[in-house]
């Protein structure tokens, strides 16, 4: 069973819950716009389903509502910002607004954002940059229970460390490549577990390091009290990208890497290294646009592989999902809905709120 809900109604419902965590009305509204946008984009793992976790993190003191970025360094093309455990959907947007302004001014900006609470869908930030004609590259690490196994390893040692590249494509929709370095996002395993579904082979190992198709191994503790782990995409290559996210997103930003046993804290901290480039200032804008479009056309001329619905470019599936869900509504599974309702009750009963 699932709930079908229109985006506007979902926003209103979630805004009310987020406001109960202490967020000012403007913060709650911005946060909900971002979360529901993830639902609309088809990413049911980085959307309103995160609200119960955010509520727990606020109640534990690991997430600070109404907290923006603190500027640690601003030389123009270099920005170093502390997210101060504020809502990532807020600090991430603030940081990107600053980075975009600096890149327009100087041609480039390298922006380090450390210690934000969960940044959600990283593609949101790339979409902000490409809308201004900028190229943007993002490396992100995750400080939370380590759910992904290193290639050749038998337990979780790091997070789903996402990587994202946004490229404007002239007057066409942009290329937005936005992916977890795990074979699949952890949240998608929670959604599958909530629906009682099995997942494809090659995604997961169990608490003993053996391959499994049961998504529950990364959602609930197993018989020995331990969790299983997600595998990286592309074997050693995805593992290399995940480590690059930890080194650039975690170590270089100053946000920190994960190198300790798991704890039960519900906060999810993200640090993100962002590089922004203005092709106009680089002097290649005309060639860049011409070559990008010519390459995209060349790809689209490839005949459909048997049984496939043809070549798509990154960013396209999200835009298709948005058009569909804006019109027809968003399905939310019963377990996720019940968890959201329970978190609202928890806030009503908490002496902290
Ligand atoms: P995914 O596997 O659904 O998609 C990854 C990318 O592939 C997207 O850019 C998409 O446009 C593209 N794509 C999908 N199908 C395609 C096709 N047929 N042809 C060409 N391109 C195609 O994404 P995911 O790895 O499950 O990640 C989901 C979301 O989770 C992302 O938005 C990511 O930023 C987010 N995430 C966030 C965190 C965090 O800590 N904040 C951690 C992990 C993931």
């Amino acid at each position: 069973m699932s709930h079908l809900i229109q985006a506007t109604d979902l926003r209103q419902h979630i805004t009310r819950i987020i406001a109960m965590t202490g967020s000012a009305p403007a913060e709650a509204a911005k946060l909900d716009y971002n979360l529901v946008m993830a639902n609309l984009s088809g990413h049911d793992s980085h959307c309103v389903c995160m609200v119960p976790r955010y509520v727990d993190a606020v109640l534990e003191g690991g997430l600070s509502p109404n907290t923006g970025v603190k500027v640690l360094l601003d030389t123009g093309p270099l920005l170093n910002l502390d997210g101060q455990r504020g809502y990532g959907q807020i600090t991430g947007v603030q940081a990107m607004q600053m980075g975009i302004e600096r890149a327009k001014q100087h041609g480039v900006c390298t922006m380090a954002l450390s210690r934000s609470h969960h940044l959600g869908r990283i593609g949101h930030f790339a979409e902000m940059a490409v809308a201004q004609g900028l190229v943007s590259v993002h490396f992100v690490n995750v400080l939370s229970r380590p759910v992904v196994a290193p290639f050749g390893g038998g337990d979780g040692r790091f997070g789903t460390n996402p990587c994202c590249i946004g490229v404007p494509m002239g007057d066409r929709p942009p290329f937005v490549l936005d992916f977890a370095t795990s074979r699949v996002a952890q949240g998608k395993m929670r959604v599958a577990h909530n629906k009682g579904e099995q997942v494809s082979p090659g995604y997961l190992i169990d608490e003993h390091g053996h391959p499994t198709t049961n998504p529950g191994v990364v959602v609930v503790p197993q018989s020995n009290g331990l969790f299983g782990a997600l595998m990286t995409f592309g074997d050693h290559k995805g593992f290399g990208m995940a480590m690059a996210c930890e080194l650039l997103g975690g170590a270089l930003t100053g946000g920190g890497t994960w190198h300790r046993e798991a704890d039960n804290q519900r906060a999810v901290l993200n640090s993100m290294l962002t590089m922004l480039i203005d092709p106009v200032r680089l002097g290649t804008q005309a060639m860049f646009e011409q070559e990008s479009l010519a390459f995209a056309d060349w790809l689209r001329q490839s005949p459909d592989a048997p049984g496939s619905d043809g070549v798509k470019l990154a960013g396209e599936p999200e835009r298709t999902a948005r058009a569909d869900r804006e019109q027809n509504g968003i399905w939310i599974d019963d377990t996720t809905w019940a968890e959201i309702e329970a978190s609202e009750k928890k806030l009503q009963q908490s002496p902290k709120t």
Side-chain angles (χ1 to χ4, degrees), residues 155-171:
D155 67 358
R157 293 277 149 167
F158 48 86
T160 52
N161 295 2
C163 196
C164 179
I165 301 172
V167 179
M169 301 284 286
D171 56 1

Side-chain angles (χ1 to χ4, degrees), residues 39-304:
N39 279 102
L40 287 171
S41 306
H43 290 295
D44 294 327
S45 53
H46 283 75
C47 55
V48 298
C49 58
M50 290 299 289
V51 167
R53 185 135 192 194
Y54 294 174
V55 166
D56 287 348
V58 171
L59 294 176
E60 282 174 9
L63 163 55
S64 310
N66 309 312
T67 304
V69 298
K70 181 174 156 196
V71 179
L72 303 176
L73 175 109
D74 181 359
T75 67
L78 282 174
L79 271 177
N80 184 358
L81 308 171
D82 183 347
Q84 305 191 99
R85 290 179 171 265
Y87 274 112
Q89 290 82 355
I90 304 297
T91 56
V93 167
Q94 266 185 344
M96 283 304 295
Q97 282 166 342
M98 293 178 73
I100 288 168
E101 193 190 304
R102 303 301 187 279
K104 285 274 180 194
Q105 205 179 344
H106 303 282
V108 288
C109 177
T110 298
M111 183 257 286
L113 171 64
S114 56
R115 290 177 287 269
S116 261
H117 195 262
H118 191 237
L119 287 162
R121 192 178 72 88
I122 307 304
H124 188 83
F125 308 122
E127 283 163 3
M128 288 177 68
V130 295
Q132 300 294 321
L134 301 175
V135 169
S136 73
V137 181
H138 309 260
F139 294 93
V140 182
N141 87 326
V142 189
L143 299 185
S144 172
R145 182 167 61 81
V147 287
V148 186
F151 183 65
D155 67 358
R157 293 277 149 167
F158 48 86
T160 52
N161 295 2
C163 196
C164 179
I165 301 172
V167 179
M169 301 284 286
D171 56 1
R172 296 193 202 162
F175 171 86
V176 180
L177 178 63
D178 173 27
F179 59 87
T181 47
S182 50
R183 180 77 176 77
V184 277
Q186 153 79 1
K188 286 188 177 149
M189 297 299 93
R190 189 182 54 245
V191 173
H193 173 70
N194 287 350
K195 288 182 180 168
E197 293 170 353
Q198 294 288 300
V199 300
S200 304
Y203 288 7
L204 295 163
I205 53 174
D206 69 15
E207 67 280 18
H208 306 293
H210 297 133
T212 178
T213 56
N214 170 19
V217 297
V218 289
V219 181
V220 286
Q222 300 301 292
S223 52
N224 57 2
L226 299 175
F227 288 89
L230 294 161
M231 294 161 83
T232 54
F233 79 90
D235 299 333
H236 54 288
K237 300 179 191 182
F239 170 43
M241 286 296 287
M243 182 152 176
C245 286
E246 205 72 36
L247 298 177
L248 302 179
L252 186 60
T253 58
T257 62
W258 187 278
H259 42 78
R260 59 187 164 86
E261 291 305 312
D263 55 36
N264 293 324
Q265 294 295 303
R266 296 281 283 163
V268 184
L269 293 188
N270 278 151
S271 294
M272 171 166 79
L273 183 79
T274 297
M275 286 168 283
L276 295 156
I277 304 165
D278 186 347
V280 174
R281 301 292 299 276
L282 190 63
T284 61
Q285 175 63 29
M287 186 68 166
F288 171 54
E289 190 172 320
Q290 178 190 311
E291 287 299 304
S292 303
L293 298 185
F295 184 63
D297 288 343
W298 166 251
L299 294 175
R300 295 226 189 255
Q301 286 157 16
S302 178
D304 292 2

